[in-house]
Structure formats: C-alpha cells, structure tokens
Amino acid sequence: MAVAQTFQKNDAGLRALNQALDTQVEHMRASNQAVGQLIDEVNRDFQADASTTWQNKVGEWQQNYQQVTRLVREVTDRLLVADGAINAAHDEAMQMGSSMDSGPAGDAVFNALNNS
C-alpha cells in the first residue's frame, strides 16, 4: 500500500480574524469611554439648546456603538463555534483516514481508487 496522504487543517486565518475583531472592539471601547468623558465635560460646562442637540446625537452614537459591539461579539462567538465544528470534522476525518490506512479494507479502497 502507498503512503497515506496527511490532511492538515489551517485555521490561522480564523485566529487572525478573531484577533482583529478583538482589537477593533477594544478600539471601540476606548472611543466610547472618550465620548462618555466628553459628555460629562459638556454637561458640566455648557448649557444651551445646541448642547441638548449635541447630547442627543451623541446618545444616538452610543446606541449605535452598543449595537455594533453586540453584533461584533456575535460574529466572534459564531466564528468560535465554526472553528470548533471545523476542528471536530478535521479530527473525525483524520480518525476515518487512519482506520482505512492499513489492513484489507484500506488496501481494497486504495486499489479501487488507483485502478479506476
């Protein structure tokens, strides 16, 4: 019987995507903190109709920020689930391949594939 092929799973791209998402969420968190501090300063130092309008717009921004953050976390969670499924499928495929690697069944499969 010929040497069996070895299949390798490469999830480096998935890990890089998760890391990039985590980095972006951290940047978003820092921006949200900065906006919160700015709101506090405006509330303390500036009272006018323009301030109220500005605060309403910033409030909308914060709601959007929270929604985007929730969605990014959902994507990250789903990517982790997908990675687990890929790992499980890879392990199962490796086990199946290993069980066919030797013995009469493996030889029969190898011969059938090579003789067709």
Side-chain angles (χ1 to χ4, degrees):
M1 180 173 181
V3 176
Q5 265 187 309
T6 301
F7 295 95
Q8 295 181 354
K9 181 186 79 66
N10 182 353
D11 59 356
L14 187 59
R15 282 192 307 270
L17 177 58
N18 276 335
Q19 184 177 7
L21 288 172
D22 288 343
T23 300
Q24 186 59 34
V25 166
E26 182 57 30
H27 289 305
M28 292 165 55
R29 187 195 63 72
S31 295
N32 187 49
Q33 232 176 2
V35 167
Q37 290 171 349
L38 188 58
I39 289 170
D40 291 343
E41 289 175 22
V42 168
N43 286 339
R44 185 180 59 243
D45 299 333
F46 188 70
Q47 300 295 321
D49 287 341
S51 172
T52 302
T53 300
W54 181 83
Q55 289 175 22
N56 289 339
K57 292 297 181 184
V58 170
E60 289 175 21
W61 179 89
Q62 286 182 312
Q63 288 174 349
N64 290 336
Y65 158 79
Q66 290 170 355
Q67 182 179 10
V68 167
T69 300
R70 181 183 54 77
L71 292 171
V72 168
R73 286 196 178 121
E74 187 177 315
V75 166
T76 301
D77 291 345
R78 289 182 181 193
L79 286 172
L80 291 174
V81 169
D83 187 47
I86 290 169
N87 285 333
H90 176 261
D91 292 345
E92 184 179 348
M94 292 300 292
Q95 287 175 341
M96 289 175 67
S98 294
S99 68
M100 294 165 80
D101 207 17
S102 61
D107 290 339
V109 169
F110 179 79
N111 290 333
L113 291 173
N114 283 320
N115 292 328
S116 49

